[in-house]
């Protein structure tokens, strides 16, 4: 079993829809949770990060972490064609020899059509 | 100019050939990483370096080697390329952001091994 599992998609939605992207994980030591966005033929770039449990909002994006269920989500409100990309969840543990190493999910390809 | 650059951007090689992928960064970060990305498998860590004298294997280092020539340069070598090393390769650097490592990715090198 992979440490981080991400819904494979692909996901296709109409413009304006609410999008939900999800990951589950098995390593309870993960404390930092991130979402990266990767446009076609580009490297991933950090979209949002959260520490431990809770919600974080940034414009149309909301990241949620539920450590009790080992489940994280990214919600996109009022989705736009420019949101079309691959979304990767990533996680890391604080401190120690693993500090800084990210474990990624498989990525979900999202297409928002006009 | 891009902060993290990779050369070449595309490469076709034959089985058994030795090739080198190069990464340079102008961000001044000590930490550098090499990943490969395959469809359905997400990003997997090959090697990482926390400073010039500290190089570590990632989860899939077999068949690869690295060299950290300077703080700004981190090269990945395939000693004897094989077809299942066909993938998209990313270099990344990192720093701390609110206590979490934020990784900055280069544009990627698309490698095809025939």
């Amino acid at each position: 079993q992979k440490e981080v599992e991400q819904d494979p998609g692909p996901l296709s939605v109409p413009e304006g829809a609410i999008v939900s992207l999800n990951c589950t994980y098995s390593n309870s030591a993960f404390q930092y949770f991130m979402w990266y966005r990767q446009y076609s033929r580009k490297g991933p770039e950090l979209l949002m990060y959260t520490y431990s449990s809770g919600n974080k909002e940034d414009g149309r994006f909301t990241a949620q972490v539920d450590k009790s269920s080992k489940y994280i989500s990214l919600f996109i409100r009022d989705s736009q064609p420019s949101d079309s990309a691959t979304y990767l969840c990533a996680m890391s543990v604080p401190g120690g020899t693993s500090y800084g190493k990210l474990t990624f999910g498989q990525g979900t390809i999202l297409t928002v059509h006009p | 100019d891009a902060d993290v650059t990779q050369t070449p951007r595309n490469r076709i090689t034959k089985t058994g050939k030795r090739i080198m992928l190069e990464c340079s960064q102008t961000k001044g970060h000590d930490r550098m990483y090499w990943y490969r990305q395959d469809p359905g498998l997400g990003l997997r860590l090959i090697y990482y370096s926390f400073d010039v004298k500290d190089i570590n294997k990632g989860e899939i280092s077999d068949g690869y080697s690295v060299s950290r020539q300077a703080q700004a340069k981190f090269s990945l070598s395939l000693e004897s390329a094989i077809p299942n090393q066909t993938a998209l390769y990313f270099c990344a650097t990192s720093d701390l952001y609110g206590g979490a490592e934020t990784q900055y990715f280069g544009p990627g090198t698309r490698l095809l091994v025939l």
Side-chain angles (χ1 to χ4, degrees):
Chain A
Q1 181 190 6
K2 292 181 183 295
E3 274 192 302
V4 180
E5 296 277 1
Q6 184 170 357
D7 288 351
L11 201 55
S12 180
V13 301
E15 184 175 355
I18 296 174
V19 176
S20 172
L21 305 169
N22 310 291
C23 290
T24 59
Y25 62 95
S26 58
N27 186 350
S28 58
F30 287 139
Q31 293 283 350
Y32 293 105
F33 304 91
M34 287 146 272
W35 288 95
Y36 280 78
R37 179 174 60 194
Q38 183 179 16
Y39 289 115
S40 180
R41 301 195 173 275
K42 301 283 188 182
E45 56 180 356
L46 182 67
L47 183 61
M48 294 186 72
Y49 93 94
T50 53
Y51 173 70
S52 197
S53 286
N55 293 359
K56 187 171 185 178
E57 190 172 320
D58 183 2
R60 296 182 295 108
F61 299 87
T62 300
Q64 287 186 352
V65 175
D66 181 348
K67 291 193 70 182
S68 63
S69 300
K70 296 190 178 67
Y71 188 88
I72 71 169
S73 299
L74 177 70
F75 297 96
I76 307 174
R77 292 184 300 280
D78 188 25
S79 56
Q80 302 295 309
S82 59
D83 295 328
S84 298
T86 297
Y87 290 80
L88 299 133
C89 62
M91 309 176 186
S92 69
V93 300
T97 56
S98 295
Y99 187 50
K101 287 168 56 181
L102 297 182
T103 302
F104 285 87
Q106 298 93 316
T108 301
I109 299 172
L110 171 66
T111 301
V112 181
H113 50 86
Chain B
D1 286 344
D3 295 319
V4 183
T5 57
Q6 292 183 235
T7 56
R9 293 294 313 276
N10 295 280
R11 178 75 184 267
I12 300 173
T13 191
K14 294 183 178 180
T15 297
K17 294 291 187 181
R18 182 182 188 276
I19 67 164
M20 179 183 290
L21 310 182
E22 298 187 347
C23 176
S24 294
Q25 53 115 345
T26 58
K27 298 186 78 68
H29 294 163
D30 287 326
R31 301 181 175 212
M32 298 187 73
Y33 306 79
W34 274 105
Y35 292 90
R36 65 178 279 175
Q37 187 175 36
D38 300 274
L41 296 178
L43 285 161
R44 292 182 292 166
L45 184 63
I46 306 172
Y47 270 94
Y48 61 103
S49 171
F50 283 176
D51 65 42
V52 175
K53 296 180 180 179
D54 180 20
I55 294 178
N56 305 279
K57 292 181 177 180
E59 60 180 304
I60 54 162
S61 59
D62 287 348
Y64 301 95
S65 62
V66 291
S67 173
R68 186 80 184 266
Q69 299 94 327
Q71 186 204 40
K73 296 184 182 296
F74 193 34
S75 301
L76 176 72
S77 293
L78 284 67
E79 299 301 326
S80 180
I82 56 176
N84 76 0
Q85 291 177 313
T86 293
L88 188 53
Y89 290 85
F90 287 103
C91 172
T93 71
S94 72
D95 67 352
L96 282 174
Y97 176 71
E101 290 265 342
T102 297
Q103 296 199 2
Y104 300 87
F105 288 81
T109 294
R110 198 169 292 273
L111 175 66
L112 174 61
V113 182
L114 300 175

